[in-house]
Amino acid sequence: SLLVLRWYDYWSDPERCSDYSTLNDGYFVDLLDGPCSVGKLLPGEYEIYTIFIRRSGDLRRLHPQQLRSLLRGRNIAAWYFVWPSTSPSDGDGYVSERDFFALVRGMEREGIRTCWPHTSTLYRELCGKLWIPQMCLSKEHRVPPTTRVHYADFAANGRRTAIAALRALLKLRKTLWGHEDLVEAEFKGVVKLGFSWCGCDVLPFQGISSLVTNLQKLFGSSASESTVC
């Protein structure tokens, strides 16, 4: 049994197929009827329930226990094709990260395994970019020096928080990679929110004032639910 959750508007994307867009119907045609698909490997031996949603609130109306009772297969899995975001009003395909993962965890507690894209714990680490600060401590993985900025700290004193973040990056740069010290005003980097997609919510900065300005831009949206950057 497959339980598939996807965005309601599957007909507006003009591309025949896509390898990343959750809004592209060709994506699903490949998964269901393409090479090595369930349609080819298990013809006539599977069932699919599809849930179409058009807003984050639809996720809160779903009841994992009730959905589990519908699934009759010996093996049960769920596929999720939406983009969890802390700015869910950004456009089609975006849903609230908080509501999405609450649903997925509820499904997993009912024994509905997440088989696309990843289990909830791993997927949240990946799409929230939560793995980057700790992985930058491992030189073997060659992740650029990265630190977190918490919204509560920034709201209390934006400049002080930006200075602390920039100095943390300079320290990582020197300690891990042996680079010479830089004047803070010359330091260049990028500010990025987790749970953002398709190149959105990424801003370059140079020096403290630029960092403060761009953190304010990313944190300052009235639609944003971000607590960390």
Side-chain angles (χ1 to χ4, degrees):
S1 295
L2 282 175
L3 185 67
V4 179
L5 186 142
R6 58 184 294 195
W7 196 248
Y8 79 100
D9 180 2
Y10 60 86
W11 58 86
S12 296
D13 187 336
E15 298 297 324
R16 186 184 67 83
C17 193
S18 171
D19 61 358
Y20 77 92
S21 176
T22 63
L23 308 179
N24 184 280
D25 197 47
Y27 197 13
F28 299 94
V29 172
D30 277 351
L31 286 171
L32 298 175
D33 201 37
C36 299
S37 65
V38 291
K40 292 292 190 290
L41 297 178
L42 300 170
E45 297 181 30
Y46 65 94
E47 63 176 4
I48 297 178
Y49 283 86
T50 303
I51 303 168
F52 293 96
I53 66 165
R54 63 189 308 159
R55 59 182 65 85
S56 295
D58 293 340
L59 300 174
R60 297 192 294 271
R61 299 170 62 188
L62 298 173
H63 302 287
Q65 188 174 30
Q66 184 181 54
L67 293 170
R68 175 63 182 86
S69 70
L70 299 174
L71 306 175
R72 299 170 296 171
R74 180 184 304 171
N75 298 297
I76 295 171
W79 294 351
Y80 301 96
F81 297 94
V82 288
W83 287 314
S85 172
T86 51
S87 300
S89 61
D90 281 350
D92 288 350
Y94 292 89
V95 296
S96 164
E97 171 265 328
R98 182 181 60 242
D99 293 336
F100 174 79
F101 283 105
L103 172 67
V104 176
R105 287 192 295 268
M107 295 286 202
E108 291 173 348
R109 285 290 300 173
E110 291 297 328
I112 304 174
R113 294 180 302 131
T114 303
C115 289
W116 188 289
H118 302 286
T119 57
S120 60
T121 49
L122 175 59
Y123 190 39
R124 193 170 187 276
E125 284 286 321
L126 294 175
C127 68
K129 319 298 187 292
L130 304 177
W131 59 276
I132 300 176
Q134 55 262 42
M135 289 303 295
C136 84
L137 301 176
S138 170
K139 289 184 65 174
E140 290 76 13
H141 291 88
R142 307 194 69 80
V143 177
T146 306
T147 191
R148 288 193 179 102
V149 174
H150 292 272
Y151 174 73
D153 295 335
F154 186 77
N157 190 318
R159 186 169 183 83
R160 183 178 64 195
T161 302
I163 290 171
L166 194 148
R167 289 178 179 172
L169 292 173
L170 287 171
K171 183 177 181 180
L172 287 168
R173 184 176 179 271
K174 183 176 182 178
T175 303
L176 291 171
W177 300 102
H179 294 315
E180 295 294 324
D181 287 331
L182 279 177
V183 177
E184 291 178 358
E186 297 177 356
F187 186 86
K188 296 179 181 180
V190 295
V191 184
K192 179 168 177 57
L193 291 180
F195 303 106
S196 59
W197 304 85
C198 303
C200 295
D201 300 321
V202 185
L203 296 173
F205 72 89
Q206 179 175 348
I208 296 295
S209 296
S210 174
L211 177 56
V212 172
T213 297
N214 288 331
L215 283 168
Q216 182 60 53
K217 288 179 181 178
L218 293 181
F219 278 140
S221 169
S222 60
S224 177
E225 300 172 352
S226 297
T227 59
V228 68
C229 183

